[in-house]
Amino acid sequence: MTIEPVNEGPSGSVTASSSTEPVVPEDVAARIAGAVQRSRAENTRRAYASDWDRFVTWCFSHGRNALPAHPMVVAAYLIDAADTLTEDGERAYAPATLSRWVAALGHHHRRAGHSAPGSHEVVAATLSGIRRDYAANGDRPRRQAAPLLVDDLVTIVTAARQAVTGWASEVLERRDTALLLMGFAGAFRRGDLADLVCGDVSMHRLDGVHVRLRRSKTDQEGEGATRALPFTVSHTSCPPCAWLRWVQVLAAHDTYGRPGVIRLLRNAPPFDGHVCKGAVPRTAVRAPLFRSIRKNGNLSETGLSGSAVPWVIRRRAEQAGYDENVVAQLGGHSLRAGFVTQAVRNGRNAQAIMRQTGHSTAAMIEVYTRENAPLIANAVTDIGL
């Protein structure tokens, strides 16, 4: 018995190619389809499906075949996108977006048994030429989120605590403080934070908090990794303290509901010292760690989305008195970028930084150094001026 090639529909669904030869049993085919779906992260699957639908629509409107697509057709598709302008006269699509489109087309072609058009020289050369044109004209420079350093984090979480006016606002403060301090110390991406469940985090007597990443952007196979968030000298910036204060809220909510949360916070002593050596309450293992919070302080059962992380960062920075121009430069990557930048400024080498960030090469560390810490190891600091 042989397994037939599979074709993909416009949204990435897998179907068997037409043939008189029997295919594998339906239950096996369903498991194969499921494994193929899970071979890539959910966000990647959604993006690839959207990119493929866009290409199919473009090919239909131009009278071209989408599968298999001729390399010249793909090159023309990229040129058309590169020439597309917004109402402000700026390029509508960044080179990185065009590269992702090519990857999506290759993904669909390979799964349908065809060679990837992106491997053809004309497609690769077209992409390279577009990048050069963009660079020559100064179009769509890469936007790197501004990093938040340790002093920034201390300022922001201190302001958040001082802004508490009641139990509802303290629920929000405890969540946001844990999100900020854990996100920074763990050098997490916003998607990493959004995907955490309560069972991923545990207290270690010597190390601090251990956070298990079941999967991340650079770990598509789901091998996982553990990052330690250490105890700190000051309780105000201690990630384990911030985590425990938030977990107390989760446990009270999941056990007693709204009345339990109100009782916990109204009877809580002032946060004037470390609490990270205290007892850790039990929480539902599979429940989202960072959850949405309604205006009245009630916790949602759903997890905080990745897109909400930059909103939290900007709102708290604005509340702390940061200039609106600075706030506009902050984003979900500000915590991870801040960790790398602070570590570089503190003199840590690339290998030590990569052990926490999970970077596979030192190239990105050099990017952070060049953009956010240009005076580190630079002769200009000691030339006698």
Side-chain angles (χ1 to χ4, degrees):
M1 179 178 64
T2 60
I3 299 176
E4 297 183 1
V6 294
N7 295 328
E8 243 179 285
S11 296
S13 58
V14 178
T15 60
S17 60
S18 59
S19 172
T20 58
E21 186 177 354
V23 295
V24 298
E26 288 187 7
D27 61 330
V28 177
R31 293 182 64 184
I32 292 173
V36 170
Q37 279 291 95
R38 294 189 298 274
S39 66
R40 292 186 180 275
E42 182 180 352
N43 288 343
T44 302
R45 294 199 301 268
R46 284 199 299 263
Y48 278 10
S50 175
D51 297 343
W52 176 247
D53 287 345
R54 187 185 192 282
F55 180 66
V56 169
T57 301
W58 185 91
C59 287
F60 180 80
S61 65
H62 288 77
R64 304 294 183 182
N65 290 330
L67 192 68
H70 193 282
M72 289 296 292
V73 172
V74 176
Y77 175 64
L78 297 174
I79 291 295
D80 181 68
D83 290 342
T84 303
L85 303 179
T86 66
E87 293 180 355
D88 298 329
E90 297 182 353
R91 303 272 192 179
Y93 304 106
T97 301
L98 305 186
S99 296
R100 193 194 71 210
W101 289 356
V102 173
L105 300 187
H107 169 70
H108 283 76
H109 275 69
R110 285 190 296 270
R111 287 182 59 183
H114 303 291
S115 60
S119 61
H120 196 282
E121 182 179 357
V122 70
V123 177
T126 299
L127 263 179
S128 179
I130 289 173
R131 293 192 190 97
R132 286 180 177 272
D133 290 342
Y134 274 42
N137 297 325
D139 294 321
R140 294 184 66 84
R142 188 172 68 90
R143 183 185 180 275
Q144 176 71 41
L148 288 172
L149 304 185
V150 168
D151 287 346
D152 296 314
L153 266 296
V154 172
T155 298
I156 291 172
V157 299
T158 299
R161 290 170 183 145
Q162 292 174 345
V164 170
T165 56
W167 75 268
S169 61
E170 186 171 351
V171 170
L172 199 61
E173 177 272 313
R174 289 197 181 200
R175 184 203 66 182
D176 292 354
T177 296
L179 183 78
L180 292 167
L181 292 178
M182 292 178 67
F184 177 86
F188 295 128
R189 297 178 177 87
R190 67 181 192 178
D192 297 335
L193 292 168
D195 289 343
L196 289 177
V197 296
C198 292
D200 292 330
V201 189
S202 60
M203 185 70 79
H204 189 277
R205 183 173 61 87
L206 302 177
D207 295 344
V209 167
H210 281 190
V211 180
R212 172 72 174 174
L213 288 181
R214 287 166 284 116
R215 174 175 292 184
S216 67
K217 180 180 178 181
T218 55
D219 177 28
Q220 296 295 324
E221 299 301 320
E223 295 181 0
T226 299
R227 296 181 188 172
L229 315 185
F231 303 111
T232 61
V233 174
S234 173
H235 69 282
T236 60
S237 57
C238 180
C241 283
W243 170 74
L244 185 55
R245 292 177 73 241
W246 172 236
V247 168
Q248 290 170 347
V249 173
L250 294 180
H253 171 269
D254 293 347
T255 305
Y256 302 107
R258 175 189 172 102
V261 175
I262 295 176
R263 184 164 54 250
L264 166 74
L265 298 181
R266 285 183 174 171
N267 295 330
F271 181 50
D272 53 10
H274 281 283
V275 298
C276 50
K277 298 299 184 180
V280 178
R282 181 172 297 180
T283 54
V285 174
R286 297 185 181 277
L289 177 64
F290 294 112
R291 307 181 193 178
S292 300
I293 300 175
R294 301 182 179 91
K295 291 183 178 180
N296 61 1
N298 287 345
L299 274 68
S300 170
E301 301 301 325
T302 59
L304 196 67
S305 68
S307 60
V309 174
W311 180 81
V312 171
I313 293 172
R314 295 190 189 104
R315 181 172 58 84
R316 287 301 183 181
E318 182 180 21
Q319 184 183 65
Y322 279 65
D323 183 86
E324 62 180 10
N325 294 321
V326 174
V327 173
Q329 297 174 35
L330 300 177
H333 205 66
S334 291
L335 301 176
R336 182 172 169 84
F339 172 88
V340 177
T341 302
Q342 186 72 69
V344 169
R345 288 176 176 270
N346 290 353
R348 301 312 300 267
N349 61 46
Q351 291 301 318
I353 296 171
M354 290 163 60
R355 277 194 286 271
Q356 185 74 335
T357 63
H359 283 114
S360 57
T361 69
M364 281 305 300
I365 308 300
E366 178 60 31
V367 170
Y368 288 112
T369 303
R370 184 170 60 249
E371 295 189 356
N372 300 318
L375 293 181
I376 301 299
N378 191 323
V380 74
T381 60
D382 189 28
I383 59 174
L385 288 179

